[in-house]
Short mmCIF file of all heavy atoms in Angstrom, two decimals:
data_model
loop_
_atom_site.label_atom_id
_atom_site.label_comp_id
_atom_site.label_asym_id
_atom_site.label_seq_id
_atom_site.Cartn_x
_atom_site.Cartn_y
_atom_site.Cartn_z
N ALA A 143 18.72 153.38 114.54
CA ALA A 143 19.26 154.68 114.86
C ALA A 143 19.36 154.90 116.37
O ALA A 143 20.22 155.64 116.82
CB ALA A 143 18.41 155.77 114.23
N ASP A 144 18.54 154.25 117.13
CA ASP A 144 18.56 154.47 118.58
C ASP A 144 19.80 153.88 119.24
O ASP A 144 20.05 154.13 120.40
CB ASP A 144 17.28 153.95 119.24
CG ASP A 144 17.08 152.44 119.06
OD1 ASP A 144 17.80 151.83 118.25
OD2 ASP A 144 16.20 151.90 119.75
N THR A 145 20.60 153.11 118.54
CA THR A 145 21.84 152.58 119.11
C THR A 145 22.95 153.62 119.03
O THR A 145 24.03 153.39 119.53
CB THR A 145 22.29 151.30 118.37
OG1 THR A 145 22.59 151.64 117.02
CG2 THR A 145 21.27 150.21 118.46
N GLY A 146 22.68 154.75 118.39
CA GLY A 146 23.67 155.80 118.27
C GLY A 146 24.54 155.66 117.03
O GLY A 146 25.42 156.46 116.80
N ARG A 147 24.32 154.65 116.25
CA ARG A 147 25.11 154.44 115.03
C ARG A 147 24.62 155.42 113.96
O ARG A 147 23.43 155.54 113.72
CB ARG A 147 24.94 153.00 114.58
CG ARG A 147 25.86 152.59 113.49
CD ARG A 147 25.81 151.10 113.35
NE ARG A 147 26.64 150.69 112.25
CZ ARG A 147 26.99 149.47 112.02
NH1 ARG A 147 26.58 148.52 112.83
NH2 ARG A 147 27.74 149.16 111.01
N SER A 148 25.55 156.08 113.31
CA SER A 148 25.15 157.07 112.32
C SER A 148 24.66 156.41 111.03
O SER A 148 24.99 155.27 110.72
CB SER A 148 26.33 158.00 112.00
OG SER A 148 27.29 157.32 111.21
N ALA A 149 23.88 157.17 110.28
CA ALA A 149 23.38 156.70 108.98
C ALA A 149 24.56 156.40 108.06
O ALA A 149 24.54 155.43 107.31
CB ALA A 149 22.45 157.74 108.37
N TYR A 150 25.59 157.22 108.13
CA TYR A 150 26.77 157.01 107.29
C TYR A 150 27.44 155.67 107.61
O TYR A 150 27.77 154.91 106.70
CB TYR A 150 27.75 158.18 107.48
CG TYR A 150 29.01 158.02 106.69
CD1 TYR A 150 29.01 158.15 105.30
CD2 TYR A 150 30.22 157.73 107.31
CE1 TYR A 150 30.17 158.00 104.56
CE2 TYR A 150 31.37 157.58 106.58
CZ TYR A 150 31.35 157.71 105.21
OH TYR A 150 32.50 157.55 104.48
N LEU A 151 27.63 155.39 108.88
CA LEU A 151 28.27 154.12 109.26
C LEU A 151 27.39 152.93 108.90
O LEU A 151 27.90 151.89 108.45
CB LEU A 151 28.60 154.10 110.75
CG LEU A 151 29.75 155.02 111.18
CD1 LEU A 151 29.93 154.96 112.69
CD2 LEU A 151 31.03 154.65 110.45
N ASP A 152 26.09 153.07 109.08
CA ASP A 152 25.18 151.99 108.67
C ASP A 152 25.27 151.76 107.17
O ASP A 152 25.29 150.62 106.70
CB ASP A 152 23.74 152.31 109.06
CG ASP A 152 23.35 151.72 110.40
OD1 ASP A 152 24.13 150.91 110.95
OD2 ASP A 152 22.26 152.06 110.89
N ALA A 153 25.34 152.84 106.40
CA ALA A 153 25.43 152.72 104.94
C ALA A 153 26.74 152.04 104.55
O ALA A 153 26.74 151.15 103.68
CB ALA A 153 25.33 154.09 104.29
N LEU A 154 27.83 152.40 105.18
CA LEU A 154 29.11 151.74 104.89
C LEU A 154 29.04 150.26 105.21
O LEU A 154 29.56 149.43 104.47
CB LEU A 154 30.25 152.40 105.68
CG LEU A 154 30.74 153.74 105.18
CD1 LEU A 154 31.82 154.28 106.11
CD2 LEU A 154 31.26 153.64 103.76
N HIS A 155 28.40 149.93 106.31
CA HIS A 155 28.25 148.52 106.69
C HIS A 155 27.43 147.78 105.63
O HIS A 155 27.79 146.67 105.23
CB HIS A 155 27.58 148.42 108.06
CG HIS A 155 27.38 147.03 108.53
ND1 HIS A 155 28.41 146.24 108.96
CD2 HIS A 155 26.26 146.27 108.61
CE1 HIS A 155 27.93 145.04 109.29
NE2 HIS A 155 26.63 145.05 109.08
N LEU A 156 26.35 148.38 105.18
CA LEU A 156 25.52 147.76 104.13
C LEU A 156 26.32 147.57 102.84
O LEU A 156 26.24 146.53 102.20
CB LEU A 156 24.28 148.62 103.86
CG LEU A 156 23.23 148.68 104.96
CD1 LEU A 156 22.24 149.80 104.67
CD2 LEU A 156 22.52 147.36 105.09
N LEU A 157 27.09 148.60 102.48
CA LEU A 157 27.86 148.54 101.24
C LEU A 157 29.05 147.58 101.31
O LEU A 157 29.54 147.13 100.28
CB LEU A 157 28.35 149.95 100.86
CG LEU A 157 27.26 150.91 100.42
CD1 LEU A 157 27.79 152.34 100.38
CD2 LEU A 157 26.70 150.50 99.07
N SER A 158 29.47 147.26 102.52
CA SER A 158 30.58 146.31 102.65
C SER A 158 30.14 144.90 102.31
O SER A 158 30.96 144.05 101.99
CB SER A 158 31.16 146.35 104.07
OG SER A 158 30.26 145.77 105.00
N ARG A 159 28.84 144.67 102.37
CA ARG A 159 28.32 143.33 102.06
C ARG A 159 27.84 143.19 100.63
O ARG A 159 27.90 142.12 100.06
CB ARG A 159 27.18 142.99 103.02
CG ARG A 159 27.67 142.77 104.45
CD ARG A 159 26.57 142.36 105.36
NE ARG A 159 25.81 143.57 105.70
CZ ARG A 159 24.57 143.57 106.09
NH1 ARG A 159 23.90 142.46 106.18
NH2 ARG A 159 23.96 144.70 106.39
N ARG A 160 27.34 144.28 100.05
CA ARG A 160 26.76 144.20 98.71
C ARG A 160 26.69 145.60 98.10
O ARG A 160 26.38 146.56 98.79
CB ARG A 160 25.34 143.63 98.81
CG ARG A 160 24.62 143.54 97.50
CD ARG A 160 23.27 142.88 97.66
NE ARG A 160 22.70 142.66 96.34
CZ ARG A 160 21.48 143.01 95.99
NH1 ARG A 160 20.68 143.55 96.87
NH2 ARG A 160 21.04 142.78 94.78
N ALA A 161 26.97 145.68 96.82
CA ALA A 161 26.82 146.97 96.13
C ALA A 161 25.34 147.32 96.08
O ALA A 161 24.50 146.46 95.80
CB ALA A 161 27.39 146.87 94.72
N LEU A 162 25.04 148.56 96.37
CA LEU A 162 23.65 149.03 96.39
C LEU A 162 23.50 150.25 95.52
O LEU A 162 24.44 151.02 95.34
CB LEU A 162 23.23 149.41 97.83
CG LEU A 162 23.26 148.33 98.88
CD1 LEU A 162 23.02 148.96 100.25
CD2 LEU A 162 22.23 147.26 98.60
N THR A 163 22.30 150.44 95.01
CA THR A 163 21.98 151.68 94.32
C THR A 163 21.68 152.74 95.37
O THR A 163 21.48 152.42 96.56
CB THR A 163 20.76 151.51 93.40
OG1 THR A 163 19.62 151.22 94.21
CG2 THR A 163 20.97 150.42 92.37
N VAL A 164 21.61 153.97 94.95
CA VAL A 164 21.25 155.06 95.87
C VAL A 164 19.88 154.79 96.46
O VAL A 164 19.67 154.93 97.68
CB VAL A 164 21.29 156.42 95.14
CG1 VAL A 164 20.74 157.52 96.03
CG2 VAL A 164 22.71 156.75 94.70
N ALA A 165 18.93 154.36 95.62
CA ALA A 165 17.57 154.10 96.09
C ALA A 165 17.54 152.96 97.12
O ALA A 165 16.85 153.06 98.14
CB ALA A 165 16.65 153.76 94.92
N GLU A 166 18.29 151.89 96.85
CA GLU A 166 18.32 150.76 97.80
C GLU A 166 18.94 151.17 99.12
O GLU A 166 18.45 150.80 100.19
CB GLU A 166 19.12 149.60 97.20
CG GLU A 166 18.44 148.90 96.05
CD GLU A 166 19.33 147.91 95.33
OE1 GLU A 166 20.57 148.09 95.32
OE2 GLU A 166 18.79 146.95 94.77
N CYS A 167 20.00 151.96 99.06
CA CYS A 167 20.66 152.43 100.27
C CYS A 167 19.71 153.30 101.09
O CYS A 167 19.58 153.13 102.31
CB CYS A 167 21.93 153.19 99.92
SG CYS A 167 22.95 153.62 101.33
N ARG A 168 19.01 154.20 100.41
CA ARG A 168 18.05 155.08 101.09
C ARG A 168 16.95 154.25 101.77
O ARG A 168 16.61 154.50 102.93
CB ARG A 168 17.45 156.06 100.08
CG ARG A 168 16.52 157.08 100.70
CD ARG A 168 16.02 158.09 99.69
NE ARG A 168 17.09 159.02 99.34
CZ ARG A 168 17.61 159.15 98.12
NH1 ARG A 168 17.17 158.43 97.12
NH2 ARG A 168 18.57 160.03 97.90
N GLU A 169 16.40 153.28 101.05
CA GLU A 169 15.35 152.41 101.61
C GLU A 169 15.82 151.69 102.86
O GLU A 169 15.11 151.62 103.86
CB GLU A 169 14.93 151.36 100.59
CG GLU A 169 14.05 151.85 99.49
CD GLU A 169 13.77 150.75 98.45
OE1 GLU A 169 13.86 149.55 98.80
OE2 GLU A 169 13.48 151.11 97.29
N ARG A 170 17.02 151.14 102.79
CA ARG A 170 17.53 150.37 103.93
C ARG A 170 17.83 151.24 105.14
O ARG A 170 17.62 150.82 106.27
CB ARG A 170 18.75 149.56 103.50
CG ARG A 170 18.34 148.46 102.54
CD ARG A 170 19.48 147.65 102.06
NE ARG A 170 19.02 146.77 101.00
CZ ARG A 170 19.61 145.64 100.67
NH1 ARG A 170 20.69 145.26 101.31
NH2 ARG A 170 19.14 144.90 99.69
N LEU A 171 18.31 152.45 104.89
CA LEU A 171 18.55 153.36 106.01
C LEU A 171 17.24 153.82 106.62
O LEU A 171 17.14 153.97 107.85
CB LEU A 171 19.40 154.54 105.56
CG LEU A 171 20.85 154.20 105.20
CD1 LEU A 171 21.55 155.42 104.62
CD2 LEU A 171 21.60 153.65 106.40
N LEU A 172 16.22 154.05 105.79
CA LEU A 172 14.90 154.40 106.32
C LEU A 172 14.34 153.25 107.16
O LEU A 172 13.75 153.48 108.22
CB LEU A 172 13.93 154.73 105.18
CG LEU A 172 14.07 156.12 104.58
CD1 LEU A 172 13.24 156.24 103.31
CD2 LEU A 172 13.67 157.19 105.59
N ALA A 173 14.55 152.02 106.71
CA ALA A 173 14.09 150.86 107.46
C ALA A 173 14.79 150.75 108.81
O ALA A 173 14.23 150.21 109.76
CB ALA A 173 14.31 149.58 106.65
N ARG A 174 15.99 151.30 108.89
CA ARG A 174 16.73 151.29 110.16
C ARG A 174 16.40 152.52 111.01
O ARG A 174 17.05 152.79 112.02
CB ARG A 174 18.24 151.23 109.89
CG ARG A 174 18.65 149.88 109.34
CD ARG A 174 20.12 149.87 108.99
NE ARG A 174 20.48 148.59 108.43
CZ ARG A 174 21.50 147.86 108.84
NH1 ARG A 174 22.27 148.29 109.82
NH2 ARG A 174 21.76 146.70 108.29
N GLU A 175 15.39 153.25 110.58
CA GLU A 175 14.81 154.36 111.33
C GLU A 175 15.75 155.55 111.52
O GLU A 175 15.71 156.23 112.54
CB GLU A 175 14.26 153.88 112.67
CG GLU A 175 13.19 152.82 112.50
CD GLU A 175 12.69 152.26 113.82
OE1 GLU A 175 13.23 152.63 114.88
OE2 GLU A 175 11.75 151.47 113.76
N HIS A 176 16.57 155.83 110.52
CA HIS A 176 17.39 157.04 110.56
C HIS A 176 16.53 158.20 110.06
O HIS A 176 15.62 158.02 109.26
CB HIS A 176 18.62 156.88 109.67
CG HIS A 176 19.64 155.95 110.22
ND1 HIS A 176 20.45 156.26 111.29
CD2 HIS A 176 19.98 154.68 109.85
CE1 HIS A 176 21.23 155.25 111.55
NE2 HIS A 176 20.97 154.27 110.70
N ALA A 177 16.84 159.39 110.52
CA ALA A 177 16.12 160.59 110.10
C ALA A 177 16.45 160.89 108.64
O ALA A 177 17.57 160.66 108.18
CB ALA A 177 16.52 161.77 110.98
N ALA A 178 15.47 161.42 107.93
CA ALA A 178 15.63 161.68 106.49
C ALA A 178 16.80 162.62 106.21
O ALA A 178 17.54 162.41 105.24
CB ALA A 178 14.34 162.27 105.93
N ASP A 179 16.99 163.64 107.04
CA ASP A 179 18.09 164.58 106.78
C ASP A 179 19.45 163.93 106.97
O ASP A 179 20.39 164.22 106.23
CB ASP A 179 17.95 165.84 107.63
CG ASP A 179 17.93 165.55 109.13
OD1 ASP A 179 17.51 164.46 109.52
OD2 ASP A 179 18.32 166.45 109.91
N THR A 180 19.59 163.03 107.95
CA THR A 180 20.87 162.35 108.14
C THR A 180 21.12 161.33 107.02
O THR A 180 22.26 161.12 106.62
CB THR A 180 20.97 161.64 109.51
OG1 THR A 180 19.94 160.66 109.61
CG2 THR A 180 20.86 162.63 110.64
N ILE A 181 20.04 160.74 106.51
CA ILE A 181 20.17 159.82 105.38
C ILE A 181 20.68 160.57 104.15
O ILE A 181 21.61 160.13 103.47
CB ILE A 181 18.84 159.11 105.07
CG1 ILE A 181 18.49 158.14 106.20
CG2 ILE A 181 18.89 158.40 103.73
CD1 ILE A 181 17.11 157.53 106.10
N GLU A 182 20.07 161.72 103.87
CA GLU A 182 20.48 162.50 102.70
C GLU A 182 21.92 162.98 102.83
O GLU A 182 22.67 162.99 101.85
CB GLU A 182 19.53 163.66 102.46
CG GLU A 182 18.13 163.23 102.06
CD GLU A 182 18.09 162.24 100.90
OE1 GLU A 182 18.81 162.45 99.89
OE2 GLU A 182 17.36 161.24 101.00
N ALA A 183 22.32 163.36 104.03
CA ALA A 183 23.71 163.80 104.25
C ALA A 183 24.67 162.62 104.04
O ALA A 183 25.73 162.78 103.42
CB ALA A 183 23.87 164.37 105.66
N ALA A 184 24.30 161.46 104.54
CA ALA A 184 25.14 160.27 104.37
C ALA A 184 25.26 159.90 102.90
O ALA A 184 26.36 159.60 102.41
CB ALA A 184 24.57 159.11 105.18
N ILE A 185 24.15 159.93 102.19
CA ILE A 185 24.16 159.59 100.76
C ILE A 185 24.99 160.60 99.98
O ILE A 185 25.77 160.22 99.10
CB ILE A 185 22.72 159.46 100.23
CG1 ILE A 185 22.12 158.15 100.77
CG2 ILE A 185 22.69 159.49 98.70
CD1 ILE A 185 20.68 157.91 100.42
N ALA A 186 24.87 161.88 100.31
CA ALA A 186 25.67 162.91 99.63
C ALA A 186 27.16 162.63 99.83
O ALA A 186 27.96 162.72 98.89
CB ALA A 186 25.30 164.29 100.15
N HIS A 187 27.54 162.27 101.04
CA HIS A 187 28.94 161.98 101.34
C HIS A 187 29.40 160.74 100.59
O HIS A 187 30.51 160.71 100.02
CB HIS A 187 29.13 161.79 102.85
CG HIS A 187 30.55 161.72 103.27
ND1 HIS A 187 31.45 160.81 102.77
CD2 HIS A 187 31.26 162.45 104.17
CE1 HIS A 187 32.62 160.97 103.33
NE2 HIS A 187 32.54 161.97 104.18
N LEU A 188 28.57 159.72 100.55
CA LEU A 188 28.91 158.48 99.83
C LEU A 188 29.03 158.72 98.33
O LEU A 188 29.88 158.11 97.67
CB LEU A 188 27.87 157.40 100.12
CG LEU A 188 27.87 156.86 101.56
CD1 LEU A 188 26.60 156.07 101.83
CD2 LEU A 188 29.10 156.02 101.82
N LEU A 189 28.21 159.60 97.79
CA LEU A 189 28.30 159.94 96.37
C LEU A 189 29.58 160.72 96.09
O LEU A 189 30.24 160.49 95.07
CB LEU A 189 27.07 160.74 95.92
CG LEU A 189 25.77 159.95 95.82
CD1 LEU A 189 24.59 160.89 95.64
CD2 LEU A 189 25.83 158.93 94.69
N GLU A 190 29.95 161.63 97.00
CA GLU A 190 31.19 162.39 96.86
C GLU A 190 32.40 161.49 96.83
O GLU A 190 33.32 161.71 96.04
CB GLU A 190 31.36 163.35 98.05
CG GLU A 190 30.79 164.71 97.88
CD GLU A 190 31.04 165.56 99.12
OE1 GLU A 190 32.12 165.44 99.73
OE2 GLU A 190 30.14 166.33 99.46
N THR A 191 32.41 160.50 97.68
CA THR A 191 33.56 159.59 97.78
C THR A 191 33.45 158.42 96.81
O THR A 191 34.32 157.56 96.79
CB THR A 191 33.69 159.03 99.21
OG1 THR A 191 32.51 158.31 99.56
CG2 THR A 191 33.93 160.15 100.22
N ARG A 192 32.39 158.41 96.01
CA ARG A 192 32.11 157.37 95.02
C ARG A 192 31.94 155.98 95.65
O ARG A 192 32.11 154.97 94.99
CB ARG A 192 33.18 157.35 93.93
CG ARG A 192 33.15 158.63 93.10
CD ARG A 192 34.03 158.65 91.89
NE ARG A 192 34.10 157.43 91.12
CZ ARG A 192 33.33 157.14 90.07
NH1 ARG A 192 32.40 157.99 89.70
NH2 ARG A 192 33.50 156.03 89.40
N SER A 193 31.58 155.94 96.92
CA SER A 193 31.24 154.67 97.55
C SER A 193 29.89 154.19 97.02
O SER A 193 29.63 152.99 96.97
CB SER A 193 31.17 154.82 99.07
OG SER A 193 32.44 155.18 99.57
N LEU A 194 29.05 155.14 96.67
CA LEU A 194 27.77 154.86 95.99
C LEU A 194 27.90 155.41 94.59
O LEU A 194 28.25 156.58 94.41
CB LEU A 194 26.62 155.60 96.70
CG LEU A 194 25.79 154.89 97.72
CD1 LEU A 194 24.71 155.82 98.25
CD2 LEU A 194 25.21 153.61 97.26
N ASP A 195 27.63 154.57 93.61
CA ASP A 195 27.73 155.01 92.22
C ASP A 195 26.82 154.13 91.38
O ASP A 195 27.16 153.00 91.04
CB ASP A 195 29.18 154.91 91.75
CG ASP A 195 29.41 155.47 90.36
OD1 ASP A 195 28.42 155.73 89.64
OD2 ASP A 195 30.57 155.66 89.99
N ASP A 196 25.64 154.67 91.04
CA ASP A 196 24.67 153.89 90.27
C ASP A 196 25.22 153.47 88.90
O ASP A 196 24.95 152.38 88.42
CB ASP A 196 23.38 154.68 90.07
CG ASP A 196 22.48 154.65 91.30
OD1 ASP A 196 22.83 154.00 92.30
OD2 ASP A 196 21.40 155.28 91.25
N LYS A 197 26.01 154.34 88.29
CA LYS A 197 26.54 154.02 86.96
C LYS A 197 27.51 152.83 87.04
O LYS A 197 27.44 151.91 86.23
CB LYS A 197 27.22 155.23 86.35
CG LYS A 197 27.67 155.01 84.93
CD LYS A 197 28.20 156.28 84.31
CE LYS A 197 28.58 156.03 82.85
NZ LYS A 197 28.99 157.27 82.20
N ARG A 198 28.41 152.86 88.00
CA ARG A 198 29.36 151.75 88.17
C ARG A 198 28.63 150.46 88.49
O ARG A 198 28.95 149.40 87.93
CB ARG A 198 30.36 152.10 89.28
CG ARG A 198 31.47 151.07 89.43
CD ARG A 198 32.44 151.42 90.53
NE ARG A 198 31.75 151.43 91.81
CZ ARG A 198 31.92 152.33 92.75
NH1 ARG A 198 32.75 153.33 92.57
NH2 ARG A 198 31.26 152.26 93.88
N LEU A 199 27.63 150.53 89.37
CA LEU A 199 26.85 149.35 89.71
C LEU A 199 26.12 148.81 88.48
O LEU A 199 26.10 147.60 88.24
CB LEU A 199 25.84 149.67 90.81
CG LEU A 199 24.98 148.50 91.24
CD1 LEU A 199 24.85 148.44 92.75
CD2 LEU A 199 23.61 148.57 90.61
N ALA A 200 25.54 149.71 87.69
CA ALA A 200 24.80 149.30 86.49
C ALA A 200 25.71 148.60 85.50
O ALA A 200 25.34 147.56 84.92
CB ALA A 200 24.13 150.51 85.85
N LEU A 201 26.90 149.12 85.30
CA LEU A 201 27.85 148.49 84.37
C LEU A 201 28.26 147.10 84.85
O LEU A 201 28.31 146.15 84.06
CB LEU A 201 29.08 149.38 84.19
CG LEU A 201 28.85 150.68 83.41
CD1 LEU A 201 30.08 151.58 83.50
CD2 LEU A 201 28.51 150.38 81.97
N ALA A 202 28.53 146.98 86.13
CA ALA A 202 28.93 145.68 86.68
C ALA A 202 27.78 144.67 86.60
O ALA A 202 27.98 143.51 86.23
CB ALA A 202 29.40 145.84 88.12
N HIS A 203 26.59 145.13 86.93
CA HIS A 203 25.42 144.24 86.88
C HIS A 203 25.16 143.79 85.45
O HIS A 203 24.91 142.61 85.20
CB HIS A 203 24.19 144.95 87.45
CG HIS A 203 22.94 144.13 87.40
ND1 HIS A 203 22.62 143.24 88.39
CD2 HIS A 203 21.96 144.03 86.47
CE1 HIS A 203 21.49 142.63 88.07
NE2 HIS A 203 21.07 143.10 86.90
N ALA A 204 25.22 144.73 84.51
CA ALA A 204 24.97 144.40 83.10
C ALA A 204 26.00 143.41 82.58
O ALA A 204 25.66 142.45 81.89
CB ALA A 204 24.97 145.68 82.27
N ARG A 205 27.25 143.63 82.90
CA ARG A 205 28.32 142.73 82.45
C ARG A 205 28.08 141.31 82.97
O ARG A 205 28.13 140.35 82.22
CB ARG A 205 29.68 143.27 82.91
CG ARG A 205 30.85 142.44 82.42
CD ARG A 205 32.21 143.03 82.82
NE ARG A 205 32.28 143.37 84.24
CZ ARG A 205 32.34 144.61 84.71
NH1 ARG A 205 32.30 145.64 83.91
NH2 ARG A 205 32.42 144.82 86.01
N THR A 206 27.79 141.20 84.24
CA THR A 206 27.54 139.88 84.83
C THR A 206 26.29 139.24 84.25
O THR A 206 26.30 138.05 83.90
CB THR A 206 27.38 140.00 86.37
OG1 THR A 206 28.59 140.56 86.89
CG2 THR A 206 27.12 138.66 87.01
N ALA A 207 25.23 140.00 84.14
CA ALA A 207 23.96 139.46 83.65
C ALA A 207 24.06 138.98 82.21
O ALA A 207 23.51 137.94 81.85
CB ALA A 207 22.85 140.51 83.78
N VAL A 208 24.78 139.72 81.38
CA VAL A 208 24.87 139.35 79.97
C VAL A 208 25.91 138.26 79.74
O VAL A 208 25.61 137.24 79.11
CB VAL A 208 25.20 140.61 79.10
CG1 VAL A 208 25.51 140.22 77.67
CG2 VAL A 208 24.03 141.58 79.15
N GLU A 209 27.12 138.45 80.25
CA GLU A 209 28.21 137.52 79.95
C GLU A 209 28.11 136.21 80.71
O GLU A 209 28.43 135.15 80.16
CB GLU A 209 29.55 138.19 80.24
CG GLU A 209 29.85 139.34 79.30
CD GLU A 209 31.14 140.06 79.64
OE1 GLU A 209 31.88 139.60 80.52
OE2 GLU A 209 31.39 141.10 79.01
N ILE A 210 27.70 136.24 81.95
CA ILE A 210 27.69 135.03 82.76
C ILE A 210 26.32 134.38 82.80
O ILE A 210 26.19 133.17 82.65
CB ILE A 210 28.20 135.33 84.19
CG1 ILE A 210 29.66 135.77 84.10
CG2 ILE A 210 28.04 134.12 85.10
CD1 ILE A 210 30.25 136.26 85.39
N LYS A 211 25.28 135.18 82.97
CA LYS A 211 23.94 134.62 83.10
C LYS A 211 23.19 134.55 81.78
O LYS A 211 22.12 133.95 81.72
CB LYS A 211 23.14 135.43 84.12
CG LYS A 211 23.76 135.36 85.51
CD LYS A 211 22.96 136.15 86.53
CE LYS A 211 23.60 136.04 87.90
NZ LYS A 211 22.86 136.82 88.88
N GLY A 212 23.72 135.14 80.73
CA GLY A 212 23.12 135.06 79.41
C GLY A 212 21.79 135.79 79.26
O GLY A 212 20.96 135.43 78.43
#
Side-chain angles (χ1 to χ4, degrees):
D144 62 348
T145 63
R147 190 168 177 167
S148 74
Y150 178 72
L151 289 177
D152 266 350
L154 284 177
H155 180 73
L156 291 167
L157 290 167
S158 71
R159 291 183 282 156
R160 178 176 187 229
L162 299 172
T163 64
V164 172
E166 290 171 332
C167 188
R168 184 176 286 117
E169 284 175 24
R170 292 179 188 204
L171 291 174
L172 281 170
R174 290 176 181 231
E175 301 177 355
H176 288 287
D179 59 333
T180 61
I181 291 172
E182 293 309 314
I185 287 176
H187 190 303
L188 291 166
L189 288 169
E190 269 181 37
T191 60
R192 294 188 40 92
S193 297
L194 264 181
D195 186 347
D196 281 358
K197 186 173 183 176
R198 185 180 64 222
L199 180 137
L201 290 170
H203 179 85
R205 183 177 50 249
T206 301
V208 171
E209 293 176 7
I210 296 173
K211 297 181 179 179

